[in-house]
Amino acid sequence: MKADHPSGFAIDDITVGPFAHGFGTAADGRPFTFRTVRATLVLELYRADLDTEVPGPEDIVAIAQAPVTDIDLDDERSVAALVRDMVPDAVPVTAAADRDMTAVRALLGRISAVIDGM
């Protein structure tokens, strides 16, 4: 799906369902990704001057989160509308050093996500 709007906002790829995810470009030209983590949609907005196709954690400039309990995750339009509404509400992130995660914490987070998905 490519959801274009006069504002310049576009979703280039979207997968719906309980593990909805995708990526696109905000109205100001910055790329973003989104994914469902438990009952929350997490949006990561990246810096505009990326020099790579796949941004890393150090490229994140803002994050937004919203509950998905009030939308139909099987409907592309609902997911796209939520993502579009989340972009302006994205909160700037702190320095990359503050966001670093230990390997153990990352592993526990992944195990927790798998258990919650069962």
Side-chain angles (χ1 to χ4, degrees):
M1 172 190 174
K2 178 128 175 141
D4 291 317
H5 297 278
S7 65
F9 173 85
I11 294 182
D12 300 321
D13 183 65
I14 186 170
T15 300
V16 296
F19 303 104
H21 62 278
F23 60 89
T25 307
D28 61 3
R30 293 185 293 174
F32 65 83
T33 61
F34 62 92
R35 68 187 182 285
T36 306
V37 179
R38 297 185 184 101
T40 303
L41 193 71
V42 178
L43 177 125
E44 295 175 341
L45 196 58
Y46 300 99
R47 58 188 176 89
D49 62 343
L50 285 177
D51 55 357
T52 180
E53 289 290 318
V54 181
E58 66 279 1
D59 298 317
I60 300 171
V61 296
I63 295 176
Q65 296 183 354
V68 295
T69 53
D70 295 335
I71 68 161
D72 180 3
L73 284 174
D74 291 321
D75 179 37
E76 281 187 18
R77 294 176 301 163
S78 294
V79 175
L82 178 60
V83 170
R84 184 186 65 240
D85 292 346
M86 290 172 65
V87 170
D89 297 332
V91 176
V93 296
T94 57
D98 294 340
R99 292 190 320 261
D100 285 344
M101 208 185 260
T102 66
V104 173
R105 185 176 300 270
L107 178 63
L108 291 174
R110 290 178 187 221
I111 290 171
S112 174
V114 169
I115 291 170
D116 288 342
M118 294 180 161

